[in-house]
């Protein structure tokens, strides 16, 4: 856990090579002790590093590797987070239909398990996706929904970010 946490810190600081090394060190330890959740989380974190570095094929492979592990152990949040990551990856690859499908599907899971913050983030990602596609009405609707959920859970910084993005879209229309 400590090795993976150090990798998380490295990743957040943009130290991707160090993060990757720490995750690669932690992964076999999780596997050896039978900690499937730790292993899946580490695989997903490796996918995140790959995605952040533009290594999309590798990121996709890692997310697809982690997803059935989460499903097998009943970790719905982990599985949902992997689906969301696949949606964001599809968006980065300009596969808009796939991205929209994945993000809309994962909303249902976040709502079912009561993860309001991930729900709000997913609306944000959908807003950005629809903006990128120049589907202004859909972008506005998604961002308005993100504002509503962020406000309901008290994330005022995220409310302001969504409001600024919304204003920028409305100014272009």
């Amino acid at each position: 856990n400590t090795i993976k946490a150090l990798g998380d810190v490295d990743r957040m600081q943009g130290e991707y090579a160090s993060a990757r090394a720490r995750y690669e060190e932690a992964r076999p330890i999780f596997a050896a002790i039978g900690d499937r959740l730790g292993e899946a989380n580490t695989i997903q974190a490796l996918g995140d590093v790959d995605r952040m570095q533009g290594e999309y094929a590798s990121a996709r492979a890692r997310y697809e590797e982690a997803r059935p592990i989460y499903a097998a152990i009943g970790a719905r949040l982990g599985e949902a987070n992997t689906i969301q990551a696949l949606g964001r990856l599809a968006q980065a690859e300009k596969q808009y239909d796939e991205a929209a499908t994945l993000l809309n599907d994962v909303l249902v899971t976040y709502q079912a398990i009561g993860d309001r913050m991930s729900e709000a983030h997913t609306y944000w990602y959908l807003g950005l996706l629809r903006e990128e596609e120049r589907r202004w009405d859909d972008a506005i609707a998604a961002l308005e929904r993100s504002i509503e959920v962020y406000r309901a859970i008290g994330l005022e910084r995220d409310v302001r970010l969504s409001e600024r993005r919304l204003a920028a879209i409305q100014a272009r229309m």
Side-chain angles (χ1 to χ4, degrees):
N1 286 328
T2 302
I3 295 167
K4 185 194 174 288
L6 288 169
D8 293 343
V9 170
D10 289 340
R11 180 174 44 100
M12 288 183 249
Q13 292 181 335
E15 301 290 333
Y16 299 125
S18 179
R20 186 185 315 274
R22 290 186 195 273
Y23 293 146
E24 292 292 1
E25 181 183 356
R27 182 179 177 185
I29 297 170
F30 283 123
I33 63 172
D35 183 344
R36 302 280 293 168
L37 181 59
E39 183 180 8
N41 287 339
T42 303
I43 295 166
Q44 182 174 358
L46 283 163
D48 292 342
V49 168
D50 291 341
R51 182 179 45 82
M52 290 173 186
Q53 298 212 282
E55 298 171 14
Y56 297 145
S58 178
R60 182 177 300 281
R62 297 211 196 249
Y63 294 145
E64 293 294 352
E65 182 181 358
R67 187 175 173 186
I69 297 171
Y70 286 126
I73 62 174
R76 292 183 70 196
L77 179 59
E79 186 177 9
N81 289 341
T82 303
I83 294 167
Q84 184 192 74
L86 284 165
R88 293 177 63 208
L89 179 62
Q91 179 179 354
E93 295 177 312
K94 310 271 188 246
Q95 297 172 5
Y96 299 128
D97 290 341
E98 178 186 355
T101 297
L102 289 165
L103 293 173
N104 279 306
D105 287 351
V106 81
L107 272 173
V108 174
T109 303
Y110 286 137
Q111 291 164 345
I113 63 176
D115 185 343
R116 301 294 313 270
M117 185 168 64
S118 294
E119 176 187 352
H121 290 336
T122 303
Y123 281 119
W124 164 261
Y125 297 134
L126 278 166
L128 298 180
L129 170 68
R130 295 313 190 187
E131 178 184 6
E132 195 171 321
E133 293 179 288
R134 301 191 187 297
R135 292 178 56 178
W136 309 119
D137 290 341
D138 293 337
I140 289 169
L143 289 169
E144 286 175 341
R145 186 70 179 120
S146 76
I147 291 167
E148 182 181 315
V149 179
Y150 282 137
R151 186 164 283 130
I153 59 176
L155 294 177
E156 289 304 315
R157 177 185 164 274
D158 293 300
V159 168
R160 289 189 303 277
L161 288 172
S162 292
E163 287 174 339
R164 281 195 292 268
R165 187 81 255 135
L166 181 61
I169 291 169
Q170 290 170 330
R172 280 196 263 176
M173 295 179 65

